[in-house]
Amino acid sequence: MKIVIMIIIIITIVYSFFILLLFFSLFLVKKPEKGSQETYSIVIACRNEENNLSLLLKSLEQIDYNEREFEVILVDDQSTDNTFPIIRQFATQRSNYHALRTDYPFQGKKYALQKGIEFSCFNYIILTDADCEISSEYIKELNLWINPDHKPDMLIGYSPERESGSFRHFTQLITATIFAVTTSLRSAMSCSGRNLVLRRIAFNEVQGYQGLFSEKSGDDKLLLNKFVKRKKQINYFPSPKVITRNTLTVKEQQNQDNRRFGKFFMTRIEWQILSVFVALFYLVFPLLFFNKLFYLVFFYLITINLLVLKTIFLHKEPFRIIYLIYAIIYPYYLLYKSIIGNCKSWEWKK
C-alpha cells in the first residue's frame, strides 16, 4: 500500500510541475518587436452553407485593408442548396472576391481548400469556416504578429463561439490554451481550421493536403503534422479572434464533438503518450482525498488555476469565478469525450 501511495505522490508532483511548465510557456506568446505588412488570401470552403453565409459575407465586406493586398476566395464543395449562387453573386461585387467550385468526383473540404489555395496569389493564406465572422481589423492585427525578419510558416489562432454557455466557452478557452502552450514549446499539438494562417511557400513545400484526401476530417490537424514534420516555424496568436456561431442542433453538436474529440490517432505519437499519462493522473487523483494527501491536492489546484488565470488574461476574456470549478471538472469531461469520440462513429457534414 505504501508503494501505491508513493507512486500516486510522484505522479501528482510530476504532473503539477508539468502544469507549471505550461503556465510559464504562455509568457512566450507575445508579439514581435515589429510587425510586417503582408498580402493575404482568405480561403473558405463552403458546403450547404446558405443559412450561414449572410453574416460571413457581411464581415468579409467590412475588412479594412488595401484591396490590392488581399483577396477572398470562396470554394463551393458541391453543395446541394443555394450556396454557390450566393457566393457567385457575392464575388461579382469586387475584383478581389472570387467564387469557385470543386470538380466531380473531387469532393471534400481538403479538395476545396487545396483548389482555393492553388487559385490564390498572395503570400499568406488565411483559413476560416463559413459559420465564422472576421473582424474588420483582422488583417491589420494579424500583421502585428508577423516578424518581417523571421516570418512564421503557420500561425494558429483562437476561435471562440458566440453566445455559448459558460462551460462550453471554458472548454474552447482551454483548447486554445493547448494550442498556445504546445506551440510555445515548439511541438504544436493541434489547431483549428477556423482561424489558421499559412505561409504560401511553406504550404507548397509540404505539398499541401496531398496524401490527406482519404481522411474525411483532420484538414487542420493533419496539415499541422506535416508542418511539424518538416520543422516549419509555427507560432500562436491569441488575437485577432475569429468568432464562430453555433447554429447546430443538439444531435449535430454531439456528432461534431465526436468528430473533434475522436482524433487521438491523428495526434503525433509523443502527444499520444503524454495524453495517456495525463489520463492516468486524473484517474488516480481522487485517491489523494481517500489517502488524505490534501497538501498535494492544494498544490495541484494552485498550478491549474494559475494556468487558467494566465490564459484568461492572454486571450483577453472576462474572468468568471466558476472557471475555477470548471478547471477541476474539465479534465474528466475531456477524458469522457475522448473515449466516446474515438469509440463511436460520426458522420461528416452532408
Side-chain angles (χ1 to χ4, degrees):
M1 186 65 181
K2 289 183 178 180
I3 295 177
V4 173
I5 294 176
M6 184 59 65
I7 292 174
I8 294 172
I9 292 173
I10 292 173
I11 290 175
T12 304
I13 292 174
V14 170
Y15 185 71
S16 296
F17 275 103
F18 173 68
I19 295 297
L20 279 177
L21 172 64
L22 301 186
F23 166 72
F24 286 113
S25 72
L26 287 178
F27 287 90
L28 300 176
V29 180
K30 53 186 178 181
K31 294 176 183 176
E33 293 183 359
K34 55 182 178 178
S36 183
Q37 183 75 18
E38 297 295 334
T39 57
Y40 298 91
S41 298
I42 302 173
V43 179
I44 306 172
C46 309
R47 179 170 174 80
N48 295 337
E49 297 283 2
E50 64 176 346
N51 295 327
N52 291 321
L53 287 173
S54 59
L55 291 176
L56 168 70
L57 301 184
K58 183 178 180 181
S59 72
L60 293 174
E61 283 184 311
Q62 295 175 348
I63 292 176
D64 183 13
Y65 206 64
N66 188 330
E67 290 187 6
R68 296 182 179 181
E69 295 183 339
F70 86 99
E71 63 182 349
V72 174
I73 302 169
L74 299 159
V75 188
D76 176 59
D77 181 21
Q78 299 182 34
S79 298
T80 56
D81 62 4
N82 292 318
T83 293
F84 185 65
I86 292 172
I87 64 174
R88 182 175 56 190
Q89 176 63 30
F90 174 78
T92 63
Q93 298 177 21
R94 295 181 186 174
S95 60
N96 60 331
Y97 293 174
H98 311 282
L100 310 177
R101 285 189 101 169
T102 55
D103 303 312
Y104 182 84
F106 303 107
Q107 180 179 330
K109 187 176 181 181
K110 297 185 190 69
Y111 280 113
L113 293 176
Q114 183 76 30
K115 181 165 185 173
I117 293 172
E118 289 176 353
F119 180 85
S120 66
C121 62
F122 289 130
N123 294 339
Y124 275 93
I125 313 298
I126 298 171
L127 301 183
T128 188
D129 289 342
D131 57 353
C132 296
E133 296 173 51
I134 294 179
S135 71
S136 61
E137 300 294 315
Y138 179 93
I139 296 180
K140 289 182 178 179
E141 289 185 51
L142 182 60
N143 275 335
L144 301 177
W145 291 91
I146 298 179
N147 188 329
D149 300 324
H150 304 283
K151 294 184 179 181
D153 298 309
M154 174 183 284
L155 294 107
I156 298 171
Y158 173 46
S159 181
E161 286 181 1
R162 172 184 290 169
E163 299 176 355
S164 59
S166 63
F167 182 71
R168 185 167 179 82
H169 187 269
F170 179 81
T171 65
Q172 295 158 8
L173 187 59
I174 295 302
T175 298
T177 305
I178 294 171
F179 297 169
V181 297
T182 58
T183 301
S184 297
L185 295 173
R186 300 304 175 201
S187 184
M189 179 182 182
S190 191
C191 61
S192 172
R194 292 172 170 177
N195 194 4
L196 190 63
V197 183
L198 314 172
R199 193 179 183 190
R200 170 183 301 285
I201 294 174
F203 180 82
N204 291 335
E205 287 176 349
V206 303
Q207 298 182 319
Y209 295 100
Q210 295 298 324
L212 306 178
F213 295 124
S214 61
E215 296 283 350
K216 286 186 176 181
S217 66
D219 55 278
D220 42 21
K221 195 166 190 173
L222 292 175
L223 182 62
L224 169 66
N225 289 343
K226 295 183 78 171
F227 273 65
V228 172
K229 186 176 181 179
R230 294 289 296 273
K231 301 186 184 304
K232 299 300 181 182
Q233 182 179 339
I234 303 171
N235 294 349
Y236 179 81
F237 64 102
S239 64
K241 306 171 186 177
V242 168
I243 303 300
T244 303
R245 303 182 307 278
N246 184 3
T247 59
L248 303 178
T249 64
V250 173
K251 184 177 180 180
E252 289 172 336
Q253 185 67 68
Q254 290 175 345
N255 182 68
Q256 185 186 67
D257 286 346
N258 289 341
R259 185 175 76 245
R260 288 179 177 171
F261 289 101
K263 296 180 180 179
F264 178 78
F265 295 104
M266 291 183 183
T267 305
R268 299 189 307 280
I269 186 64
E270 64 268 27
W271 289 116
Q272 290 183 20
I273 294 171
L274 183 60
S275 297
V276 170
F277 171 76
V278 171
L280 176 63
F281 166 76
Y282 285 107
L283 290 175
V284 303
F285 181 71
L287 298 179
L288 296 176
F289 293 93
F290 291 112
N291 290 281
K292 299 181 179 180
L293 299 171
F294 299 119
Y295 68 96
L296 286 177
V297 174
F298 184 67
F299 181 43
Y300 162 74
L301 291 178
I302 288 177
T303 59
I304 197 68
N305 283 309
L306 279 174
L307 180 63
V308 170
L309 291 173
K310 175 57 181 174
T311 198
I312 288 173
F313 177 79
L314 177 67
H315 292 92
K316 298 180 181 178
E317 293 287 358
F319 172 74
R320 301 176 184 177
I321 191 69
I322 198 170
Y323 283 175
L324 303 182
I325 298 175
Y326 289 162
I328 302 173
I329 300 172
Y330 175 75
Y332 295 97
Y333 167 84
L334 177 61
L335 184 60
Y336 168 75
K337 283 289 189 179
S338 297
I339 293 173
I340 296 298
N342 285 281
C343 294
K344 195 171 182 179
S345 61
W346 50 268
E347 296 180 357
W348 188 247
K349 183 177 180 179
K350 295 180 179 179

